[in-house]
Amino acid sequence: MEIIAEIGQAHEGSLGTALSYIDALSDAGVDAVKFQVHIAEAESSIYEPFRIKFTHQDETRIDYWKRMEFTLEQWKILKLRCEEKGVEFLASPFSNAAVDLLEKLGVKRYKVGSGEVNNLLLLEKIAQTGKPVILSSGLSSFKELDSTVDFLKERNINISILQCTTSYPTQPENYGLNVIKELKNRYNLKTGYSDHSAKTETCIAATALGAEILEFHAVFSRKSFGPDASSSLEIEEIKELVKAVRNISEALENPVDKSDNSRFADLKGIFEKSLAVNKDLPKGHILKFEDLEAKKPKNKGVSAEDFQNLIGKRLKSDIKKWDFITKDNF
Ligand SMILES: C=C(OP(=O)(O)O)C(=O)O
């Protein structure tokens, strides 16, 4: 399982905050820390509407993107910090200029956000790098995904694909956990889940349903400013999630063979019981179901699993309450 923590815009354009996120998330045990590379002039214009107008600080959406930009030098610092902390620096570009920037950083692969699935210009640019792509599907139908997957396959790109719902925060009826398996069956690619539910249980369920990659938004506090804060997981939740996901992954990698219980032989013996009577019974009494009890340990008399053979049998001797029943009693 690959666990990717998406910082998105949670850094609010501050290099220091972005570095703190790398530190906190690598300590939480994720495999990759993910950024979005926004180069305002290359990807947007004054005509772009706000997805959520959460601040009056930025007059227009492009002003917001400008505030989220880092310089190449700053990106180098962020990537270096990821390397020092032993996590992959992963990013989604939102323009061809952003791909050029990421190439200068020497990234290993690319994430394509849900909004870019039909941006063939960007996909062509990424494909020209020859590097693997993780494709998100939050806004796409199968038909659109088919074309994008074909487009990348024709260019020999190694693709992974994520179920995602672009709705912030995503409500249970829209998680689409069923789609993880459908994507796997349809494309036979490495398949995962990109979460916006802000709930660890969604990611754990996705793991159990076969996701091989998990991505979720991270934030220091869901009360923070920002478009994704309410759809994100906090650091303590991420720590717990990482542990849970690693455990479930290990469980899934070790399927249990229920047809063979030989490993329980000793323990099973400790749990097994022998038959006893629950009242004083006189010689000549005919045993009924209501007379019987099953008590530990096993092998003290007739085994509990053989109780049906005793019903209707006549006692040859008295037997005291809670005494075990043996063959000699008949
Ligand atoms: C928007 C992104 O991804 P997703 O669609 O998976 O949320 C992204 O990676 O930048």
Side-chain angles (χ1 to χ4, degrees):
M1 170 64 81
E2 268 189 81
I3 305 180
I4 302 169
E6 158 79 299
I7 297 177
Q9 270 61 251
H11 52 68
E12 279 283 311
S14 153
L15 179 67
T17 306
L19 288 167
S20 314
Y21 271 109
I22 295 172
D23 292 352
L25 291 166
S26 53
D27 291 349
V30 305
D31 300 303
V33 170
K34 186 186 160 295
F35 289 90
Q36 296 185 2
V37 178
H38 293 284
I39 299 179
E41 298 287 358
E43 71 179 58
S44 183
S45 67
I46 51 160
Y47 307 108
E48 183 186 353
F50 274 96
R51 174 162 66 80
I52 309 170
K53 183 84 167 90
F54 56 91
T55 165
H56 294 288
Q57 191 176 359
D58 310 296
E59 193 73 7
T60 61
R61 184 70 159 151
I62 192 169
D63 290 335
Y64 171 74
W65 294 130
K66 280 181 190 155
R67 206 158 56 75
M68 295 305 120
E69 283 183 4
F70 289 125
T71 63
L72 178 61
E73 284 317 304
Q74 288 174 317
W75 281 119
K76 282 183 184 164
I77 292 169
L78 292 170
K79 180 156 183 285
L80 184 64
R81 182 67 140 246
C82 286
E83 282 157 14
E84 284 166 358
K85 296 297 270 178
V87 288
E88 180 181 349
F89 171 93
L90 184 64
S92 46
F94 288 83
S95 60
N96 288 18
V99 177
D100 285 333
L101 183 145
L102 288 167
E103 281 304 289
K104 285 185 191 139
L105 294 179
V107 292
K108 283 204 310 207
R109 53 182 177 164
Y110 285 89
K111 164 80 193 296
V112 172
S114 298
E116 306 301 318
V117 166
N118 298 328
N119 180 354
L120 294 188
L121 187 80
L122 176 68
L123 293 174
E124 177 64 42
K125 178 79 177 171
I126 293 174
Q128 283 174 12
T129 70
K131 292 179 182 171
V133 163
I134 304 172
L135 190 66
S136 211
S137 64
L139 294 161
S140 306
S141 64
F142 276 137
K143 201 165 161 237
E144 287 168 307
L145 290 175
D146 288 351
S147 327
T148 300
V149 167
D150 287 347
F151 184 88
L152 291 171
K153 274 190 174 166
E154 281 157 18
R155 287 155 180 77
N156 291 320
I157 296 302
N158 175 311
I159 314 163
S160 303
I161 193 159
L162 307 184
Q163 158 54 10
C164 175
T165 304
T166 305
S167 160
Y168 300 80
T170 315
Q171 298 306 305
E173 66 271 23
N174 294 320
Y175 291 169
L177 290 169
N178 57 300
V179 181
I180 297 169
K181 201 163 267 164
E182 291 171 22
L183 287 173
K184 188 74 191 175
N185 292 342
R186 192 172 184 98
Y187 302 114
N188 197 24
L189 298 169
K190 190 165 186 184
T191 303
Y193 180 71
S194 172
D195 182 67
H196 297 130
S197 74
K199 298 222 181 321
T200 54
E201 65 208 30
T202 323
C203 294
I204 295 169
T207 307
L209 290 167
E212 297 156 282
I213 302 173
L214 272 185
E215 185 182 311
F216 46 81
H217 280 258
V219 74
F220 285 129
S221 165
R222 257 191 297 281
K223 296 199 181 89
S224 313
F225 225 51
D228 300 325
S230 65
S231 312
S232 305
L233 295 173
E234 297 181 357
I235 305 299
E236 285 307 311
E237 293 170 324
I238 294 171
K239 280 188 192 158
E240 289 306 311
L241 175 64
V242 168
K243 280 189 233 154
V245 166
R246 303 279 185 229
N247 283 346
I248 298 297
S249 301
E250 187 182 341
L252 295 173
E253 281 157 22
N254 291 283
V256 165
D257 177 4
K258 206 65 180 165
S259 61
D260 174 18
N261 67 347
S262 54
R263 67 194 184 287
F264 294 119
D266 291 346
L267 195 59
K268 204 161 171 279
I270 292 172
F271 281 95
E272 282 174 358
K273 292 178 170 170
S274 309
L275 289 171
V277 295
N278 59 14
K279 53 181 88 72
D280 290 342
L281 293 176
K283 172 179 169 187
H285 178 80
I286 293 177
L287 274 179
K288 304 190 294 291
F289 172 77
E290 291 74 20
D291 300 328
L292 301 176
E293 189 52 274
K295 304 204 317 174
K296 286 178 181 170
K298 69 172 187 173
N299 295 337
K300 273 291 175 191
V302 181
S303 161
E305 66 194 49
D306 292 333
F307 85 93
Q308 289 174 100
N309 298 335
L310 300 193
I311 310 267
K313 285 208 167 164
R314 190 181 294 276
L315 292 177
K316 165 174 115 175
S317 52
D318 291 353
I319 178 163
K320 286 247 169 310
K321 185 176 180 181
W322 300 137
D323 274 359
F324 288 106
I325 308 172
T326 67
K327 293 218 167 72
D328 299 340
N329 291 117
F330 305 102

